[in-house]
Amino acid sequence: MTYGTFMATVRERGEYAADEAEQVVRAVIGTLGERLPPTSAEHLADQLPTPLADIVDQSEGPARTWGVSEFINQVAEHTEQDEIAAEEDTRIVFSVLADQITGGEMNKLISQLPSGYAELFGHGELS
């Protein structure tokens, strides 16, 4: 999937304007990059179009230990929305991300995160 296709899919699923989709994607993907251990972030970045990979790679230092609610709160802060909207934004971006990466990488990604994240990706459990 190209960057343009990724963004178009996010815009369509979220019914966003182009600039709103860009802000949401940057917030969710950037927060995910901060949450993942560096090696996992690198593996994820390897499967993304360059602009998205660059967002993941911008995170520095050790992985954050946010649970789902803290993750959603971080997205809400970045998008200047409430947690309900931030959770919906996260679900939309994660659903497109799940379509982008391989099943094996998806399983690795979900296994690196606490329970609750799989459901945000639209996966009740590892596939």
Side-chain angles (χ1 to χ4, degrees), residues 32-99:
L32 181 59
E34 290 179 52
R35 176 60 185 85
L36 293 172
T39 303
S40 296
E42 288 173 26
H43 290 176
L44 175 61
D46 288 344
Q47 294 203 22
L48 299 175
T50 301
L52 298 175
D54 291 345
I55 295 168
V56 171
D57 287 338
Q58 288 176 359
S59 60
E60 296 180 4
R64 304 297 181 126
T65 58
W66 300 315
V68 171
S69 61
E70 292 98 342
F71 185 94
I72 297 299
N73 187 44
Q74 290 297 312
V75 172
E77 285 184 24
H78 291 302
T79 59
E80 298 178 349
Q81 298 186 81
D82 63 31
E83 283 81 13
I84 294 169
E87 182 175 341
E88 183 61 24
D89 292 341
T90 300
R91 288 178 187 280
I92 290 164
V93 174
F94 278 6
S95 74
V96 178
L97 188 63
D99 292 345

Side-chain angles (χ1 to χ4, degrees), residues 19 25 43 45 70 92 105 108 111 125:
D19 59 336
V25 167
H43 290 176
E70 292 98 342
I92 290 164
E105 187 60 34
K108 286 182 204 171
S111 71
E125 56 189 56

